[in-house]
Amino acid sequence: MASHIIDFLLIGNNFGTPEMRGVWSEQNRLKQQVQVEVALAQAEGELGVIPAEAARAIVERADPTLLDIDEIAQQGAQMKHSLMPTLIALQKQCGEAGEFIHYGATTQDIVDTATVLQLRDAFAIIQRDAVALAQELAGVARRYQHTPMTGRTHGMQALPTTFGFKVAVWLDEFVRHLTRLSEIKPRTLTGNINGAISTYASFGPQGPEVEKRTLDILGLATPTIGWQSARDRFSEFASVAALISGTLGKIGNELYNLMRSEINEIEEPFSAGKIGSTTMPHKRNPAALEGLASLTAPVLKSAALIYESMHVEHERDAMSWRAEWIALPEICIYLSAQLQNAIAIMRGMTVNEARMRQNLDMQGGLLLSEKVMFELGKKLGKQTAHHVVYECAMQAYEQRRDFKETLRAHPQMDNSISDDELNAWLDPVNYLGSAPRKVDEVIAAAQVSGLLERRS
């Protein structure tokens, strides 16, 4: 019976993907722990730490798919130990060779390294989906590179921009996230096989070679020194995951606001039969956008829990350790849902270009007060022009008058300015600055970095 919302049949896919849940399932956790034990035995056999024939038998016979997880769980409850019942089951599987299972290792060696194997699979999913989302963002930025819309500061209309420019800012953020993922990958995907307090004493003089060979077999990096009491690797991963989630939450919240009925500049993907409300049949709610934005808070809270695990008593304890077992799966699972959701939104989102234009014009030209000020400043001086335009803007706003009309009526307005000239100043399309060019530059930079494919 599922007791965590991640695993609910009805709504679990709103909080994670089946693929990522599989990575962090109990069955996969057991599988990866057995994989570490087998690699350890293989390495020890090759180095002569245990008999070669015993190592071969362990490699051939140890099979996590044949282990009875229910029986192991029952024994674990009795023994009050998370790994010992698995070792007993493996010993039984391997016969006499089972005497050499787990030779020289400590529980945390196996659990930590198995967790890194799970994290490697999760890392690959996150990287794959982050790249896919970056590609979608690049496509949307390019498609709406010249589509004018209102830029807003403090929630209020500020100046014209383009929708493509807005999306390019998100793309640039994701390029940095992809760079961060690439940079932390070798540090994150580092195993740990060095005994009870990381001194290799139980392995004998070949301890460091045992570790390196085991981790080479598993395809993981070898640490310079044991990290049982140094948990920064997981915290660094959590930090980057939190940054990615933060960007995704911001995108979801921004599009949520742009979808408001009163703004109506975008709409999330809609499919026939989608229900917005049980009582209001007309509702087309931003359910996907709410889902995207809502998962950032849990990721941030789980990241904070990971940071708690950096506080370790002496050479090792299990108090901080358990926080990682809770938080790492949740971070990855929530983030997987966000990434998949964001990809679908970008692929199916409707952009209401006509409404964007209407919203640009809704204040009767006030949106272009800065443009008017700078143009008028060429004749009156910038500071004087600011005072003139401010007076006209306040009159237009408070008296519900046309901005152009108040400008024309101001005694300091230069009468040599023609209507055509003033109309050009008040046209939002003429005050987009370098927004379209910056879209090109962001996409080009992403492609040059190798983090984004070149598409025609």
Side-chain angles (χ1 to χ4, degrees):
M1 179 181 295
S3 59
H4 195 297
I5 200 164
I6 286 171
D7 297 313
F8 283 12
L9 293 177
L10 288 177
I11 58 174
N13 287 339
N14 294 332
F15 296 86
T17 63
E19 182 182 32
M20 190 64 86
R21 286 197 295 270
V23 169
W24 294 102
S25 67
E26 188 170 16
Q27 291 77 8
N28 193 48
R29 187 175 193 262
L30 176 63
K31 174 185 173 182
Q32 301 301 346
Q33 289 177 359
V34 172
Q35 186 176 345
V36 176
E37 294 285 5
V38 169
L40 173 63
Q42 181 181 338
E44 290 177 323
E46 292 172 357
L47 293 169
V49 176
I50 66 173
E53 60 273 18
R56 283 194 294 272
I58 291 169
V59 171
E60 290 171 2
R61 297 179 187 176
D63 186 348
T65 64
L66 299 179
L67 297 178
D68 187 335
I69 197 167
D70 291 327
E71 181 180 336
I72 290 172
Q74 290 175 4
Q75 291 180 356
Q78 181 182 357
M79 295 179 180
K80 305 295 189 293
H81 197 279
S82 64
L83 187 65
M84 193 64 191
T86 302
L87 299 179
I88 292 172
L90 285 175
Q91 181 180 359
K92 184 178 179 181
Q93 266 191 349
C94 297
E96 291 184 8
E99 292 290 342
F100 297 96
I101 286 283
H102 197 67
Y103 194 89
T106 191
T107 295
Q108 191 156 359
D109 285 340
I110 306 305
V111 174
D112 278 350
T113 303
T115 298
V116 174
L117 291 176
Q118 289 177 279
L119 194 55
R120 180 172 64 186
D121 291 342
F123 208 105
I125 294 168
I126 291 167
Q127 273 192 308
R128 180 200 69 198
D129 289 350
V131 169
L133 178 57
Q135 291 285 8
E136 296 301 326
L137 290 170
V140 174
R142 176 74 75 203
R143 194 174 312 125
Y144 300 104
Q145 179 177 11
H146 300 281
T147 301
M149 69 173 297
T150 301
R152 298 170 174 90
T153 60
H154 306 283
M156 309 298 286
Q157 290 200 351
L159 288 173
T161 185
T162 73
F163 188 59
F165 183 87
K166 180 188 287 287
V167 177
V169 172
W170 303 338
L171 170 61
D172 199 43
E173 234 174 306
F174 255 88
V175 169
R176 292 194 294 278
H177 293 328
L178 288 168
T179 301
R180 292 180 180 110
L181 284 171
S182 296
E183 289 172 347
I184 71 167
K185 189 173 184 178
R187 291 193 292 273
T188 301
L189 303 184
T190 299
N192 198 59
I193 303 288
N194 34 57
I197 59 169
S198 298
T199 62
Y200 306 97
S202 56
F203 295 107
Q206 288 184 289
E209 287 75 24
V210 169
E211 178 177 61
K212 186 177 188 312
R213 181 68 188 126
T214 302
L215 297 179
D216 283 348
I217 292 168
L218 294 170
L220 298 177
T222 302
T224 307
I225 193 168
W227 52 269
Q228 288 179 17
S229 62
R231 316 305 289 183
D232 57 288
R233 286 179 170 84
F234 290 155
S235 288
E236 185 176 30
F237 169 78
S239 297
V240 174
L243 288 172
I244 297 171
S245 181
T247 298
L248 291 167
K250 177 187 68 175
I251 292 171
N253 187 69
E254 176 68 11
L255 295 175
Y256 170 92
N257 279 296
L258 294 182
M259 189 173 162
R260 290 178 184 272
S261 302
E262 293 80 4
I263 297 177
N264 192 27
E265 292 180 350
I266 68 101
E267 184 179 16
E268 71 174 39
F270 182 82
S271 57
K274 180 180 177 182
I275 301 296
S277 169
T278 57
T279 60
M280 296 170 282
H282 70 281
K283 294 293 291 295
R284 288 167 70 123
N285 288 341
L289 295 172
E290 289 176 318
L292 179 58
S294 69
L295 290 179
T296 293
V299 170
L300 297 182
K301 300 303 185 294
S302 292
L305 184 57
I306 288 284
Y307 302 149
E308 294 283 345
S309 74
M310 291 187 69
H311 178 88
V312 179
E313 295 281 350
H314 304 299
E315 277 59 57
R316 175 151 54 93
D317 70 61
M319 294 178 289
S320 57
W321 196 27
R322 283 175 167 80
E324 295 167 352
W325 301 358
I326 297 167
L328 271 177
E330 290 190 350
I331 288 171
C332 294
I333 290 169
Y334 295 143
L335 186 55
S336 72
Q338 283 189 295
L339 285 165
Q340 284 287 315
N341 192 4
I343 291 168
I345 289 167
M346 287 299 146
R347 286 177 179 168
M349 176 176 59
T350 299
V351 177
N352 190 344
E353 297 181 60
R355 184 55 178 258
M356 286 181 174
R357 179 66 209 211
Q358 290 174 18
N359 288 341
L360 281 167
D361 297 331
M362 69 180 295
Q363 293 194 90
L366 283 174
L367 191 68
L368 281 299
S369 67
E370 181 184 85
K371 169 68 171 174
V372 174
M373 178 191 69
F374 280 118
E375 292 293 347
L376 196 56
K378 296 174 184 177
K379 299 176 181 291
L380 305 180
K382 190 267 181 184
Q383 298 306 321
T384 298
H386 184 281
H387 294 309
V388 169
V389 174
Y390 174 78
E391 289 175 13
C392 293
M394 293 304 101
Q395 286 180 22
Y397 184 87
E398 293 167 4
Q399 299 172 16
R400 299 292 187 267
R401 293 173 61 191
D402 183 72
F403 184 41
K404 179 181 173 183
E405 176 188 328
T406 62
L407 287 168
R408 277 290 181 215
H410 196 282
Q412 288 182 268
M413 182 66 176
D414 191 323
N415 291 325
S416 67
I417 299 169
S418 68
D419 277 351
D420 287 345
E421 196 173 8
L422 191 53
N423 287 337
W425 296 352
L426 294 172
D427 187 344
V429 176
N430 295 331
Y431 202 55
L432 296 173
S434 300
R437 188 182 83 188
K438 279 295 175 182
V439 173
D440 285 331
E441 291 180 6
V442 168
I443 294 174
Q447 291 171 339
V448 168
S449 71
L451 297 170
L452 201 64
E453 297 176 8
R454 293 182 183 273
R455 292 182 177 176
S456 56

